[in-house]
């Protein structure tokens, strides 16, 4: 087995979910936009294997929390730890990449690339994290994920504009599941 593949396997092994009591730990989180404070001194623990739903009205900060956890929103204060790694202290790009490969995210509205087919959208994270996978395997994985979320097989070659709203959400879910993530974040599923 090549050394690059062995390194990828070792990195994946280091963040195995069952190795950690907590998948996510948040302490003292503060998110704000200007004077508007969204979260203030938020603490949250999510145990490995736990399923957690965050419920609240529109504009109450659910998406901001998700974006903070996955590193798309920089909090004003606080600490976010995912599988033992404190997000704001990860300086090594490879370490950050290894952690991000362990989660899948379905954003509001699916957030699919409009110029890519459903199958190609599903393949995006696979191509990013496993660039040596051949096209036949990528196609097989995409077809499996399409079926897994209850879409018909003919949805794979279609573009997002050709799908109903519910089908777009399912396609977004299929993409979020592409890497068989240890953590799955669903924003308005």
């Amino acid at each position: 087995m090549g050394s690059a593949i062995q390194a990828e396997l070792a990195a994946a092994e280091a963040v195995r979910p069952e190795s950690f009591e907590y998948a996510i730990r948040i302490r003292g989180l503060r998110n704000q936009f200007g004077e508007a404070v969204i979260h203030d001194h938020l603490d949250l623990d999510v145990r490995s294997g736990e399923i957690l739903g965050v419920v609240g009205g529109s504009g109450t900060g659910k998406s901001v929390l998700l974006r903070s956890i996955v590193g798309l929103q920089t909090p004003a204060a606080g600490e976010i730890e995912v599988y033992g790694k404190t997000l704001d202290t990860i300086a090594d790009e490879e370490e950050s990449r290894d952690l991000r490969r362990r989660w899948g995210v379905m954003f509001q509205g699916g957030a699919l690339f409009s110029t890519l087919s459903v199958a190609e959208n599903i393949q995006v994270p696979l191509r990013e994290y496993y660039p040596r996978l051949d096209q036949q395997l990528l196609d097989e994985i995409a077809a499996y994920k399409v079926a897994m979320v209850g879409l018909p097989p003919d949805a794979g070659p279609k573009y997002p504009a050709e799908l109903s709203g519910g089908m777009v959400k399912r396609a977004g879910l299929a993409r979020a599941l592409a890497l068989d993530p240890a953590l799955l974040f669903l924003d308005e599923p």
Side-chain angles (χ1 to χ4, degrees), residues 8-161:
E8 286 180 20
L9 291 173
E13 184 69 25
V15 291
R16 288 177 57 106
E18 57 272 13
S19 303
F20 297 90
E21 181 179 1
Y22 295 100
I24 301 168
R25 296 197 85 178
I26 299 173
R27 293 293 175 268
L29 185 69
R30 180 179 178 91
N31 278 306
Q32 64 186 80
F33 299 101
E35 297 297 315
V37 176
I38 310 302
H39 305 118
D40 196 18
H41 301 292
L42 176 73
D43 292 341
L44 175 68
D45 289 331
V46 180
R47 293 182 181 277
S48 292
E50 184 177 17
I51 297 171
L52 173 72
V54 178
V55 181
S58 181
T60 58
K62 301 177 302 291
S63 296
V64 173
L65 177 60
L66 180 149
R67 292 175 56 82
S68 296
I69 295 170
V70 301
L72 296 175
Q73 169 84 33
T74 303
E79 182 176 281
I80 300 172
E81 184 181 290
V82 179
Y83 289 129
K85 306 282 184 186
T86 304
L87 297 187
D88 63 352
T89 63
I90 298 175
D92 178 49
E93 179 57 33
E94 196 59 34
E95 186 178 8
S96 175
R97 180 179 165 83
D98 289 338
L99 184 60
R100 288 190 321 265
R101 124 177 42 201
R102 305 309 312 156
W103 65 54
V105 182
M106 185 186 92
F107 294 101
Q108 288 184 26
L112 299 175
F113 296 106
S114 62
T115 59
L116 299 179
S117 69
V118 168
E120 290 167 332
N121 267 284
I122 295 167
Q123 293 170 7
V124 166
L126 295 164
R127 290 180 189 281
E128 178 181 353
Y129 292 105
Y130 301 102
R132 292 183 295 279
L133 292 179
D134 67 36
Q135 188 59 50
Q136 181 179 348
L137 183 56
L138 289 168
D139 292 341
E140 288 175 20
I141 293 170
Y144 174 73
K145 300 302 178 178
V146 163
M148 183 184 220
V149 298
L151 286 171
D154 68 349
K158 291 184 178 176
Y159 290 89

Side-chain angles (χ1 to χ4, degrees), residues 105-113 121 165 167-173 175-176 187-188:
V105 182
M106 185 186 92
F107 294 101
Q108 288 184 26
L112 299 175
F113 296 106
N121 267 284
M167 291 175 81
V168 167
K169 283 192 176 200
R170 287 175 185 255
L173 177 58
R175 184 179 61 196
D187 195 357
E188 303 227 359

